């Protein structure tokens, strides 16, 4: 198979196989299975990378932003699978990677030679700020996804501790303190990136008012609500000193809003309404 024939299905299949092996590893741990998980993950990441390099989907498109986000999280998965190979890392990270990949496939981007498919390295003027807006949002999205994964682990681990599960059996997860710290660091990193991206987006919106539906644009509304949820989370954590399960649940809400924002198109991006 030539490189240009690699499709989203190729790395989605590799990630699916890796996830199945990760789940099997939870039931019957085997060193050989762990090796196969890593091989499938590496194969998926390689195919994913080649697809991005050859097809170069526009980062400002829905498919492009979803695929780049999934790629970063796939790297995150492989890093964790090496350093935390005794924990149920992949069982929580891979579903997010696979879900984003499937969503990207749902928004298949037609090939285009127009200016909308701009290269990251050949931007100037408004194109530069538009790309910076999207890059900041994608990086903030990485933080949201990591916080979401940490929250899921936290809820599962808290439930196991309440049910007095036998240590060393079943899921092997980090301590509640470590998971809460992971959530906190991810949110603290994501909020300034999201804020900067939102400010640039508002500036672009004000500069190009004729092409936008204004504040009723679905993606603008969802981004504003996402920012407000982040602001509330930070206030509850540092102002009210709220911790634990409630913060984890609020993080899951933020992740759901992130998905809504990622799959919503607006007129400042290619393929938006004229």
């Amino acid at each position: 198979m030539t490189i240009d024939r690699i499709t989203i299905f190729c790395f989605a299949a590799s990630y699916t196989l890796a996830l199945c092996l990760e789940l099997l590893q939870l039931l019957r741990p085997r060193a050989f299975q762990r090796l196969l998980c890593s091989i499938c993950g590496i194969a998926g990441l390689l195919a994913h990378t080649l697809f991005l390099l050859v097809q170069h989907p526009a980062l400002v498109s829905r498919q492009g932003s979803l695929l780049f986000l999934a790629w970063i999280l796939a790297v995150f998965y492989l890093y964790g699978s090496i350093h935390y190979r005794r924990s149920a890392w992949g069982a929580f990270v891979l579903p997010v990677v696979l879900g984003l990949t499937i969503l990207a496939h749902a928004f298949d981007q037609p090939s285009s030679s127009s200016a909308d498919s701009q290269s990251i390295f050949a931007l100037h003027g408004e194109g530069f700020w538009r790309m910076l807006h999207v890059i900041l949002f994608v990086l903030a999205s990485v933080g949201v996804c990591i916080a979401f994964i940490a929250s899921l682990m936290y809820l599962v681990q808290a439930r196991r501790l309440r049910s007095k599960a036998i240590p060393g059996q079943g899921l092997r997860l980090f301590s509640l303190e470590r998971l809460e710290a992971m959530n906190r660091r991810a949110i603290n990193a994501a909020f300034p990136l999201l804020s900067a991206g939102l400010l640039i987006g508002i500036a672009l919106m004000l500069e190009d008012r004729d092409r936008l539906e204004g504040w009723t644009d679905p993606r603008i509304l969802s981004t504003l609500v996402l920012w407000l949820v982040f602001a509330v989370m930070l206030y509850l954590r540092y102002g009210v000193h709220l911790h634990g399960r409630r913060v984890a649940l609020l993080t899951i809400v933020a992740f759901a809003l992130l998905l809504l924002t990622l799959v919503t198109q607006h007129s400042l991006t290619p393929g938006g309404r004229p």
Side-chain angles (χ1 to χ4, degrees):
M1 177 184 293
T2 58
I3 293 179
D4 60 348
R5 295 183 63 184
I6 294 177
T7 64
I8 293 178
F9 175 80
C10 296
F11 49 91
S14 295
Y15 292 146
T16 301
L17 183 56
L19 176 58
C20 292
L21 290 169
E22 288 282 358
L23 296 176
L24 183 61
Q25 185 74 1
L26 296 179
L27 299 175
R28 303 185 65 180
R30 296 288 186 275
F32 183 68
Q33 286 175 183
R34 171 57 56 196
L35 177 61
L36 286 178
C37 288
S38 299
I39 292 174
C40 291
I42 292 172
L45 182 62
L46 177 60
H48 197 156
T49 304
L50 291 175
F51 180 88
L52 292 176
L53 290 175
V54 175
Q55 303 296 334
H56 47 81
L59 183 59
V60 294
S61 67
R62 285 177 292 183
Q63 187 191 76
S65 58
L66 287 166
L67 285 178
F68 275 99
L69 177 57
W71 184 87
I72 295 172
L73 291 176
V75 174
F76 185 67
Y77 157 69
L78 285 176
Y79 170 83
S81 66
I82 294 172
H83 287 271
Y84 312 119
R85 56 183 178 273
R86 292 187 178 182
S87 69
W89 182 266
F92 289 87
V93 182
L94 276 175
V96 179
V97 175
L98 188 57
L100 292 171
T101 303
I102 293 172
L103 275 178
H105 180 66
F107 298 106
D108 203 6
Q109 177 177 285
S111 59
S112 173
S113 58
S114 66
D116 288 336
S117 299
Q118 291 171 314
S119 168
I120 295 177
F121 306 102
L123 294 175
H124 54 83
E126 182 185 346
F128 168 79
W129 291 107
R130 182 183 299 169
M131 182 62 72
L132 181 60
H133 162 69
V134 177
I135 289 174
L136 288 171
F137 187 79
V138 170
L139 292 178
S141 299
V142 174
V144 178
C145 290
I146 293 174
F148 169 72
I149 292 166
S151 296
L152 286 182
M153 288 184 174
Y154 182 96
L155 294 174
V156 172
Q157 182 70 324
R159 182 180 180 85
R160 293 181 71 247
L161 291 176
R162 285 198 303 270
S163 63
K164 298 181 179 180
I166 301 175
Q169 293 187 5
L171 291 173
R172 294 186 178 183
L173 300 173
F174 303 133
S175 67
L176 294 181
E177 293 77 12
R178 186 171 182 178
L179 291 170
E180 192 166 7
M182 184 188 299
N183 178 293
R184 182 178 64 252
R185 288 193 297 266
I187 291 174
N188 289 345
F191 185 71
L193 293 170
L194 180 64
S195 299
L198 180 61
L199 289 175
I200 294 174
I202 291 174
L204 290 172
M205 183 194 73
L206 295 175
E207 186 176 330
D208 205 5
R209 291 187 294 269
D210 294 337
R211 290 176 54 201
L212 271 170
E213 295 181 357
W215 298 100
T216 59
D217 188 293
R219 187 154 184 170
I220 292 175
L221 285 175
S222 58
T223 304
L224 286 172
V225 173
L226 178 62
W227 186 88
L228 288 174
V229 169
F230 261 71
V232 169
M233 276 197 294
L234 289 174
Y235 171 74
L236 292 176
R237 182 181 290 278
Y238 295 105
V240 185
H241 302 290
L242 188 67
H243 299 283
R245 185 173 181 272
R246 293 181 181 178
V247 173
L249 292 174
L250 198 54
T251 304
I252 294 174
V253 173
F255 177 76
L257 287 171
L258 171 68
L259 290 183
L260 176 64
T261 305
L262 286 171
V263 301
T264 304
Q265 187 76 54
H266 69 62
S267 51
L268 275 180
T269 58
R273 293 172 292 277

